[in-house]
Amino acid sequence: MENVRTRFPFPYQPYTIQEQFMQTLYTALDQEKVGIFESPTGTGKSLSLICGALSWLTDYEERKRQEAAALLQEGEAALSMSAAQSSMASCSTEPDWITDFVQKKAERDLVSKLKDEELKRKSREKRLEMIRNNVQLKYALKRKSCEEDETVKLLQFSKEKQTEVPGDQEDEELVIAEYESDDESKTKSRLFSAEEDDDDELTEEHVTKIYYCSRTHSQLAQFVHEVQKSPFSKDISLVTLGSRQNLCINDEVRRLGSIQRINDRCLEMQKNKHEKQNHEEGVKRPRGPAKMVCPYNKASALQLMRDEVLGTARDIEQLLKLGKETHSCPYYATRLAIAPAQLVVLPYQMVLHEATRRAAGVQLKGQVVIIDEAHNLSDTLSCIHSTELTGAQLSCAHSQLTQYAERYKSRLNAKNLLYIKQILFVIEGLVRALGGKVGQNPQSQTLQSGTEMLTINDFLFKAQIDNINLFKLQKYFEKSMISRKLGGFVEKYAGSGVRLHNQSSSNKENRRTEGLNRYLQTLQSTKSSATAPSLDQQGAVEAEKVRSASPMMQVEGLFMALTSRNEDGRVLLYRQGTLSESSIKFLLLNPAVHFAQVLKECRAVIIAGGTMQPVSDFKQELLFSAGVREERIVEFSCGHVIPPENILPLILCSGPSGQELDFTFQNRDSPRMMDETGRILSNICNAVPGGVVCFFPSYEYSRRIISHWENSGTIARLGSKKKIFQEPKKANQVEQVLSEFSRCIQRCAVDGGGLSGALLFSVVGGKMSEGINFSDDLGRCVVMVGMPYPNIKSLELQEKMSYLDKHLPHDQGRSPGQALIENLCMKAVNQSIGRAIRHRGDYSSIVLCDRRYSRAATLAKLPAWIKSQTSTYTTFGPAFAALRKVRSAIIPIDSTLLTLQMHSYFVYSAFLVLPAEEAERTVVLLSRGIQSVKHHNEKLAYFQ
């Protein structure tokens, strides 16, 4: 029976397209579909996802509750009837009694299971209700617990400082546990056991939930804030997941910097905690110093924080604050909250990468996954499962593992030594495939430059490692935790004889004194903490962290990649003159093979984005290739909520002087083409006040054309009308440039004068083409120079095209490889031009400078809401006139009269008694009306 819902809880009166979005989403989840949802930015996509999905979840849980209650009632009635019949039966023989018992056992088990589930559900709901209501008592208990923990921590720390280290006893945690056989059930690492050894009272069964994932933590935080504003904020249990690097509150661990070091130290502390618990229970502890245990990882504190997390929706920043207040670890508390949570918010990698998913405790069986910002999902999957290693990293890993085996050979059993030798043999083969040798300085080994593409099998033969079972090595890596142990070994003994790289003899003295210098720096760290280090010093510290870290984790990733099917990937050998700079890269060609696991396990998968076009190619590459049938796929696409006159997309085929705009690779560098582009921008800057954003197809072309304009005087002409900004080279400078760009536009709007706003030069696919909002005056016009086609000469791209041509069907004579090139280009264009319109009252012009945009196939790949308004101009004059003619279509509204009418309504409404929900909705609608008038008159002023 199909379940349909027409009304959804919403913080205000939803747009029609939002209602359609939620209805389609509800049906897709209920019917266990794979949905592709396209909703432009500014149409309230996040709120539609939240209200539609959570409405389905609450309805689904209520239906399950009613079905369970009905089954329980039927089961109890059946058991009662059976008991009555048994008591009335005459002299049953023993075999009949046994038969009757077996027949009724299933009914008794079902009733017992239903009762247990009902008790667990009521207990969980009661606990959450207590959390939400007893705030003062809860915080008093936490403060008391924190004070006691702090006292114990200080006493323990002082004892540990006084304890001397007796020889190599402390190396216990660095030695691999005995590896007796290849049977997974018999080979569980002690450290791995310690990490998973949570107290029984903290573990729960997984309830039906929704996993929401997006690309960045800022997008996840924005989604959580939308949930907090939604009608479900007080009823839904939400948990936000992140890495240890994002969620750790232990300053000593955070200070390590790199994510690998933070992970290693955290896991080491978990092992120490496990050993400490055994010692307290009477297990004899080996001689040696008291080992450092994380003071934030205690069962009682974690349980309190887990319950607090489930009681209120929080983003990562709020979780960090809560962790410090409650003196408990946000990372482990959020992991414990996954099972009972109804909505889990997490980054892409934790869902799309199987090993990360398993380590985080994410279970997809029977659950719902929503993947937002999914326009680059195929590329994301390929990047997550591709890996690259340099010759320097391989040499370093071989050197470190050799020294590790030499140091602990008397403490490693034969099986461990055998696998370590196999790992060393494979690494030697990898270095040999590049043309180098292990045991020598990789910087001094010269190679003939070149690039080679191989299938997986051909690469294994070339490296002479085809006789090694990489699947067994992969299992050994996982169970022995050798990568983490080697990382701890390197971190501990760097500077004490352990060679991080195969360095030349001239650096021996530096290696001898390195450990002493590091020790002296540690002693002086408390004295110098008040002095802020310079940027150079910070860079040196970061470089040292990277240099001293073990690359074995990356080696493990490459081993895993090489177990892929031969047709699903390729291996590229990049030889760059020396072994140190050369690299081996695994390229995943078939991302569907990894996405298929998600599609198979989940009840439903929703793939959402602002621009999902072209959907047909997306379905072929990711869904059909993963075994999804057409009837399981649901598509939804909607237009924008802005009025049609709020957007003016133009395709320019020629410039002011009549020069044809054809930015192909052969023509775009000509001085005439560059000069014509400058004249187009000059005209636009004269006509459009506020902010103008100009996108170039690549960083290199941006550098060349700006340099030409500087020499020709075009930059000076542009600068006389608008202040010029350029996309920064470093990501941490983006915020500063955007802030200055925004302030300049605001000043120009108030002061007037010679400047009418600002002009920003950016790059398609760069730091400002995704995730940056050029709303309102920041982006009154977006100019796209040329078409950003990828480099067709790239070996990786050519191999990907060849793979698609071989495995996907051709469409109307067009090869899948050629379609890939066009799709990559237009996806990048759509993301860039979508930066301008960010809400219902926004408006902007979009100028596409290239005649190739007028082709029917290219136009079809634009978002429908832009394509329907797009006009093509073969000459510049009519196009420029269209920009100026828009003002005639705008009729001014007397906002003063409307405001007075609204004021009168508010005065009248003050004497009415309205329901709180209706009153709030009325205020929202009136506020919207005022905003619409404001934006309408802003448009009028813009064109006057």
Side-chain angles (χ1 to χ4, degrees):
M1 179 180 175
E2 182 179 346
N3 299 293
V4 181
R5 184 165 183 163
T6 57
R7 296 183 64 84
F8 296 86
F10 216 74
Y12 53 82
Q13 179 62 39
Y15 305 134
T16 303
I17 60 173
Q18 288 179 313
E19 292 178 337
Q20 295 169 352
F21 187 110
M22 291 185 287
Q23 289 169 4
T24 310
L25 175 62
Y26 188 98
T27 304
L29 297 180
D30 197 60
Q31 297 179 359
E32 305 183 15
K33 301 286 188 178
V34 175
I36 303 174
F37 285 72
E38 181 182 49
S39 182
T41 304
T43 56
K45 170 167 59 73
S46 296
L47 263 179
S48 300
L49 283 170
I50 291 166
C51 296
L54 294 182
S55 293
W56 170 83
L57 183 62
T58 52
D59 289 352
Y60 176 77
E61 289 180 340
E62 181 60 30
R63 287 197 299 271
K64 279 184 62 179
R65 195 175 297 121
Q66 292 175 359
E67 291 170 2
L71 283 172
L72 181 59
Q73 187 176 359
E74 291 175 7
E76 289 177 338
L79 286 175
S80 300
M81 186 178 298
S82 176
Q85 290 174 351
S86 298
S87 62
M88 294 173 61
S90 59
C91 301
S92 297
T93 61
E94 183 173 333
D96 292 338
W97 177 84
I98 293 174
T99 302
D100 183 65
F101 176 83
V102 172
Q103 289 175 346
K104 301 303 178 185
K105 185 176 185 303
E107 294 179 4
R108 286 193 295 271
D109 290 344
L110 175 62
V111 171
S112 177
K113 180 182 178 182
L114 291 172
K115 285 183 176 179
D116 288 343
E117 290 178 353
E118 184 68 12
L119 286 173
K120 287 179 182 178
R121 183 186 62 78
K122 289 182 177 179
S123 174
R124 183 167 59 247
E125 291 177 353
K126 183 179 178 181
R127 188 175 72 242
L128 287 175
E129 190 66 27
M130 290 176 61
I131 292 167
R132 290 171 178 140
N133 294 334
N134 298 324
V135 178
Q136 298 300 327
L137 176 62
K138 176 180 56 185
Y139 273 99
L141 290 171
K142 289 177 181 177
R143 282 197 299 271
K144 182 179 178 182
S145 174
C146 290
E147 291 169 1
E148 293 174 353
D149 289 347
E150 190 66 26
T151 304
V152 173
K153 175 188 172 187
L154 290 172
L155 290 172
Q156 178 190 353
F157 186 71
S158 62
K159 290 179 182 177
E160 290 173 355
K161 284 292 184 182
Q162 296 170 4
T163 308
E164 293 184 1
V165 180
D168 276 350
Q169 292 294 328
E170 62 175 337
D171 284 359
E172 178 80 18
E173 73 275 7
L174 300 179
V175 181
I176 301 171
E178 291 188 0
Y179 195 83
E180 297 296 342
S181 71
D182 298 327
D183 186 0
E184 184 174 343
S185 62
K186 298 179 182 179
T187 56
K188 192 165 183 71
S189 154
R190 287 174 294 174
L191 185 57
F192 185 75
S193 300
E195 183 187 8
E196 298 297 327
D197 187 26
D198 296 315
D199 294 340
D200 291 339
E201 65 269 19
L202 297 181
T203 58
E204 295 188 34
E205 292 183 6
H206 282 252
V207 301
T208 303
K209 61 174 60 37
I210 296 170
Y211 289 101
Y212 172 89
C213 59
S214 192
R215 290 187 309 113
T216 65
H217 283 292
S218 61
Q219 290 171 340
L220 296 176
Q222 184 179 355
F223 179 82
V224 173
H225 297 160
E226 293 289 336
V227 174
Q228 292 169 344
K229 294 185 292 185
S230 76
F232 297 90
S233 59
K234 299 186 183 302
D235 303 320
I236 199 74
S237 54
L238 179 149
V239 58
T240 304
L241 300 185
S243 64
R244 288 181 174 88
Q245 191 176 37
N246 294 122
L247 289 173
C248 180
I249 58 172
N250 188 326
D251 290 334
E252 297 212 1
V253 178
R254 288 176 63 89
R255 203 175 294 133
L256 296 174
S258 73
I259 189 168
Q260 181 178 333
R261 283 166 160 249
I262 290 174
N263 287 340
D264 292 345
R265 179 61 57 84
C266 179
L267 290 171
E268 179 186 337
M269 286 181 166
Q270 298 313 302
K271 179 175 180 293
N272 296 344
K273 171 191 173 185
H274 182 64
E275 291 178 349
K276 180 182 177 183
Q277 289 173 348
N278 290 339
H279 177 57
E280 290 172 352
E281 293 168 5
V283 179
K284 186 176 180 181
R285 185 174 67 83
R287 292 181 61 190
K291 296 174 182 178
M292 196 67 177
V293 176
C294 184
Y296 301 100
N297 192 8
K298 294 192 175 181
S300 58
L302 289 177
Q303 189 172 20
L304 282 171
M305 185 173 178
R306 177 201 63 182
D307 292 343
E308 177 66 19
V309 167
L310 292 171
T312 307
R314 290 179 172 86
D315 62 19
I316 281 185
E317 293 300 323
Q318 294 165 337
L319 286 173
L320 290 172
K321 182 180 178 182
L322 177 65
K324 292 173 182 176
E325 289 175 355
T326 59
H327 205 70
S328 77
C329 174
Y331 177 77
Y332 282 103
T334 52
R335 285 185 65 179
L336 293 173
I338 294 175
Q342 296 169 293
L343 179 59
V344 180
V345 180
L346 67 174
Y348 274 172
Q349 288 81 352
M350 287 190 177
V351 168
L352 302 178
H353 192 268
E354 184 183 9
T356 307
R357 191 164 67 233
R358 190 168 57 247
V362 173
Q363 297 182 13
L364 299 182
K365 186 68 175 178
Q367 310 293 12
V368 171
V369 168
I370 297 177
I371 305 174
D372 202 0
E373 302 297 331
H375 54 276
N376 283 332
L377 181 58
S378 178
D379 295 337
T380 301
L381 281 163
S382 297
C383 289
I384 289 175
H385 295 92
S386 297
T387 184
E388 186 170 11
L389 272 173
T390 65
Q393 289 176 309
L394 289 169
S395 299
C396 175
H398 188 278
S399 173
Q400 292 172 0
L401 188 57
T402 301
Q403 294 171 81
Y404 176 89
E406 182 65 27
R407 187 179 187 96
Y408 300 119
K409 62 182 178 181
S410 61
R411 301 170 66 176
L412 297 171
N413 66 6
K415 204 76 172 178
N416 279 321
L417 289 172
L418 172 64
Y419 277 108
I420 288 175
K421 286 182 179 179
Q422 286 188 9
I423 294 171
L424 291 171
F425 178 79
V426 173
I427 295 175
E428 288 178 19
L430 299 178
V431 174
R432 187 166 52 245
L434 281 174
K437 294 181 180 179
V438 297
Q440 300 179 13
N441 187 349
Q443 296 179 356
S444 63
Q445 297 187 56
T446 58
L447 306 175
Q448 186 175 357
S449 297
T451 304
E452 187 176 1
M453 175 83 72
L454 299 168
T455 64
I456 297 175
N457 289 343
D458 289 344
F459 173 75
L460 295 178
F461 283 118
K462 183 179 181 67
Q464 299 176 21
I465 55 175
D466 54 294
N467 59 327
I468 300 295
N469 190 332
L470 292 176
F471 291 95
K472 282 190 175 182
L473 284 185
Q474 180 183 340
K475 185 181 291 186
Y476 179 74
F477 270 112
E478 180 182 347
K479 300 302 176 182
S480 69
M481 308 291 283
I482 187 173
S483 297
R484 298 192 187 280
K485 291 180 181 291
L486 184 60
F489 169 75
V490 172
E491 181 183 348
K492 182 172 183 178
Y493 290 107
S496 303
V498 173
R499 299 185 305 278
L500 302 177
H501 300 276
N502 289 340
Q503 300 169 352
S504 60
S505 58
S506 62
N507 291 330
K508 286 183 179 179
E509 188 62 32
N510 293 338
R511 294 200 302 273
R512 291 193 188 100
T513 59
E514 184 179 8
L516 177 61
N517 291 336
R518 189 173 299 166
Y519 175 67
L520 292 175
Q521 290 172 3
T522 303
L523 293 179
Q524 296 173 355
S525 61
T526 55
K527 297 181 182 179
S528 60
S529 60
T531 305
S534 66
L535 291 175
D536 292 341
Q537 290 172 332
Q538 290 177 354
V541 169
E542 290 301 318
E544 169 62 21
K545 288 176 181 177
V546 173
R547 189 183 72 83
S548 61
S550 172
M552 189 56 73
M553 199 74 75
Q554 287 87 342
V555 173
E556 181 181 346
L558 182 59
F559 279 32
M560 184 182 298
L562 291 175
T563 60
S564 303
R565 293 190 310 170
N566 187 54
E567 61 268 25
D568 288 340
R570 295 291 183 269
V571 179
L572 284 86
L573 303 179
Y574 292 105
R575 300 184 180 92
Q576 304 291 337
T578 65
L579 176 61
S580 178
E581 297 174 348
S582 302
S583 63
I584 298 174
K585 181 175 183 178
F586 174 80
L587 174 66
L588 180 68
L589 297 177
N590 182 20
V593 70
H594 294 285
F595 196 48
Q597 301 171 2
V598 177
L599 294 166
K600 182 180 179 181
E601 293 183 22
C602 291
R603 171 194 175 92
V605 176
I606 303 299
I607 303 164
T611 52
M612 296 299 298
Q613 296 297 329
V615 173
S616 58
D617 299 294
F618 179 87
K619 290 194 297 184
Q620 280 289 352
E621 187 177 358
L622 272 187
L623 300 184
F624 296 155
S625 297
V628 179
R629 295 184 176 181
E630 180 71 50
E631 55 266 24
R632 195 190 171 194
I633 300 173
V634 173
E635 295 181 39
F636 176 85
S637 180
C638 64
H640 214 293
V641 294
I642 60 171
E645 66 269 15
N646 280 34
I647 183 171
L648 181 64
L650 307 172
I651 296 177
L652 287 181
C653 297
S654 62
S657 69
Q659 172 67 42
E660 186 180 53
L661 299 180
D662 185 10
F663 289 89
T664 56
F665 185 77
Q666 295 81 8
N667 299 331
R668 64 183 185 180
D669 286 332
S670 69
R672 290 202 312 170
M673 189 70 72
M674 292 182 175
D675 291 337
E676 193 75 345
T677 308
R679 284 188 283 269
I680 293 171
L681 270 182
S682 296
N683 279 278
I684 291 174
C685 289
N686 287 333
V688 179
V692 175
V693 183
C694 179
F695 284 100
F696 296 107
S698 68
Y699 283 103
E700 178 60 24
Y701 188 67
S702 171
R703 184 190 62 78
R704 289 202 299 267
I705 195 170
I706 292 174
S707 174
H708 177 82
W709 287 346
E710 287 174 347
N711 295 331
S712 65
T714 302
I715 287 290
R717 289 196 300 274
L718 293 172
S720 66
K721 198 64 179 175
K722 293 186 181 293
K723 185 172 181 180
I724 297 175
F725 294 85
Q726 290 189 44
E727 180 176 310
K729 295 180 180 179
K730 296 182 179 179
N732 59 5
Q733 296 174 344
V734 170
E735 196 67 35
Q736 179 184 352
V737 172
L738 281 175
S739 179
E740 293 176 1
F741 179 69
S742 176
R743 284 198 298 269
C744 175
I745 292 172
Q746 291 171 0
R747 284 196 307 268
C748 292
V750 175
D751 300 339
L755 294 179
S756 64
L759 171 63
L760 175 63
F761 292 135
S762 189
V763 175
V764 177
K767 305 173 187 66
M768 293 183 171
S769 63
E770 286 194 42
I772 304 296
N773 295 341
F774 294 110
S775 60
D776 300 321
D777 281 345
L778 296 186
R780 290 307 180 200
C781 183
V782 174
V783 182
M784 180 67 59
V785 177
M787 299 187 72
Y789 282 107
N791 181 12
I792 192 65
K793 295 183 179 179
S794 164
L795 265 181
E796 297 180 26
L797 185 58
Q798 289 178 359
E799 195 65 25
K800 178 74 173 179
M801 293 172 63
S802 176
Y803 174 85
L804 294 177
D805 288 341
K806 182 178 179 181
H807 292 86
L808 296 186
H810 291 232
D811 182 24
Q812 298 177 355
R814 185 190 59 163
S815 71
Q818 185 60 39
L820 172 68
I821 296 293
E822 296 172 4
N823 293 343
L824 290 173
C825 170
M826 292 309 296
K827 280 182 181 179
V829 170
N830 292 339
Q831 282 300 305
S832 299
I833 62 180
R835 300 300 94 203
I837 303 292
R838 311 306 290 179
H839 57 81
R840 183 174 188 176
D842 207 354
Y843 53 94
S844 180
S845 302
I846 298 172
V847 182
L848 304 175
C849 299
D850 198 311
R851 65 172 183 81
R852 292 175 293 175
Y853 283 110
S854 61
R855 297 178 302 196
T858 304
L859 270 174
K861 297 181 186 297
L862 288 172
W865 62 280
I866 293 180
K867 178 177 62 178
S868 62
Q869 301 297 319
T870 301
S871 300
T872 301
Y873 293 90
T874 55
T875 56
F876 183 77
F880 188 67
L883 284 172
R884 311 176 75 91
K885 275 184 182 178
V886 180
R887 61 171 175 241
S888 62
I890 301 177
I891 304 172
I893 296 176
D894 189 347
S895 58
T896 305
L897 176 60
L898 182 59
T899 305
L900 287 173
Q901 290 173 344
M902 290 181 175
H903 178 71
S904 300
Y905 180 84
F906 278 123
V907 172
Y908 175 72
S909 299
F911 297 96
L912 299 177
V913 179
L914 294 175
E917 184 178 338
E918 182 65 23
E920 181 180 355
R921 177 174 170 273
T922 303
V923 171
V924 170
L925 288 173
L926 290 172
S927 300
R928 270 185 171 186
I930 294 173
Q931 277 298 110
S932 297
V933 173
K934 179 183 175 186
H935 284 296
H936 184 90
N937 289 342
E938 278 182 0
K939 285 194 298 182
L940 184 64
Y942 160 57
F943 287 107
Q944 287 176 341

